């Protein structure tokens, strides 16, 4: 395993190439690990590098990107702990830079795919540095208060796929919709859909994200 700041799984494109290839960086949800979203990642086009990162802190048999700030109320009003969140975003950025060098990734063609905490982190990373990412898939996440007013250059027309679950009791669809609305206001090319089901990726959602990624690589 190459020396990235975060533990990870790397899956190379099926066909080797002399040229750098595009990549998707995968960020799992709370209490999961770097293998959790591999079934989804493996279904993506096979000319992609997959770099699935493990969050830095242990939690309940898995890992977490940050602790929750519950000072605003219960889980439905939670926010990332500010210090944890900043640290994790920095580790992801450093890991992407290291992966680009280690695996001959095209630095100008990197997408993010995140679920739950990973989606929250992905949306925030995009606002931190829009030019770093070609597209983002954010599933069952929201835009944290730390980034609610961020208005960076380079976000216009950026492809962003945002999905919510109609019966999601962990991150209600209204929070995810608010994130989609904000990115639309910023001028991103947002595709937002509410799917049946709860806090998980069902077949229709999987099909939708796959179609989105395929179009970004066409």
């Amino acid at each position: 395993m190459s020396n990235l700041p975060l533990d990870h799984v790397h899956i190379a494109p099926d066909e080797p190439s002399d040229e750098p290839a595009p990549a998707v960086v995968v960020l799992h949800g709370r209490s999961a690990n770097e293998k959790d979203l591999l079934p989804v990642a493996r279904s993506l086009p096979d000319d992609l590098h997959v770099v699935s990162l493990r969050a830095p802190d242990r939690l309940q048999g898995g890992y977490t990107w940050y602790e929750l700030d519950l000072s605003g109320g219960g889980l439905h009003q939670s926010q990332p702990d500010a210090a944890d969140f900043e640290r994790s975003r920095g580790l992801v950025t450093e890991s992407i830079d290291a992966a680009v060098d280690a695996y001959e990734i095209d630095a100008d063609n990197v997408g993010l795919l995140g679920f739950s905490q990973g989606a929250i982190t992905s949306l925030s990373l995009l606002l931190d540095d829009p030019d770093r990412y070609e597209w983002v898939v954010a599933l069952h996440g929201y835009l944290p208060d730390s980034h609610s007013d961020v208005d960076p250059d380079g976000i216009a027309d950026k492809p962003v796929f945002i999905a919510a679950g109609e019966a999601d009791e962990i991150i209600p669809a209204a929070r995810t919709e608010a994130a989609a609305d904000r990115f639309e206001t910023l001028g991103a090319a947002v595709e937002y859909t509410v799917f049946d089901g709860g806090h998980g990726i069902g077949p229709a959602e999987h099909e939708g994200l796959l179609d989105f990624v395929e179009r970004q690589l066409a």
Side-chain angles (χ1 to χ4, degrees):
M1 183 177 291
S2 295
N3 187 25
L4 274 62
L6 292 171
D7 289 339
H8 66 288
V9 172
H10 169 249
I11 303 171
D14 279 1
E15 295 294 331
S17 171
D18 294 333
E19 299 296 325
V24 57
V25 175
V26 180
L27 306 180
H28 62 78
R30 183 174 171 86
S31 301
N33 61 36
E34 70 277 19
K35 297 179 181 179
D36 185 58
L37 295 175
L38 285 184
V40 175
R42 289 181 183 277
S43 73
L44 299 177
D46 56 19
D47 54 351
L48 277 171
H49 287 276
V50 173
V51 181
S52 187
L53 300 176
R54 178 197 294 174
D57 298 324
R58 287 188 174 276
L59 180 70
Q60 298 172 354
Y63 297 85
T64 184
W65 297 102
Y66 52 79
E67 285 303 315
L68 300 178
D69 179 352
L70 300 174
S71 60
L75 182 62
H76 291 176
Q77 289 79 40
S78 66
Q79 294 288 329
D81 175 83
D84 283 356
F85 195 42
E86 183 174 4
R87 175 176 57 110
S88 282
R89 298 197 323 275
L91 287 169
V92 171
T93 300
E94 292 170 15
S95 295
I96 292 171
D97 289 342
V100 166
D101 292 337
Y103 299 126
E104 297 186 0
I105 289 170
D106 181 356
D108 295 323
N109 200 348
V110 174
L112 295 173
L113 189 161
F115 174 79
S116 193
Q117 273 198 356
I120 296 162
T121 303
S122 294
L123 292 174
S124 301
L125 285 166
L126 178 60
L127 292 178
D128 287 340
D129 190 354
D131 291 336
R132 181 181 286 271
Y133 309 105
E134 278 294 284
W135 48 267
V136 170
V137 171
L139 311 174
H140 302 261
Y142 61 84
L143 190 62
D145 289 346
S146 60
H147 287 69
S148 61
D149 295 326
V150 176
D151 187 1
D153 293 333
I155 197 68
D157 299 321
K158 189 70 64 173
V160 183
F161 180 93
I162 298 177
E166 185 176 22
D168 194 330
E169 296 181 353
I170 305 299
I171 298 179
R175 298 194 84 183
T176 307
E177 183 177 7
D181 289 345
R182 177 59 181 164
F183 276 92
E184 287 180 348
T185 298
L186 292 173
V190 177
E191 298 182 27
Y192 171 64
T193 305
V194 179
F195 292 93
D196 293 337
H199 198 66
I201 304 170
E205 186 172 343
H206 188 177
E207 183 178 340
L209 73 89
L210 178 58
D211 173 71
F212 171 84
V213 174
E214 287 175 342
R215 285 186 277 115
Q216 308 318 308
L217 299 174

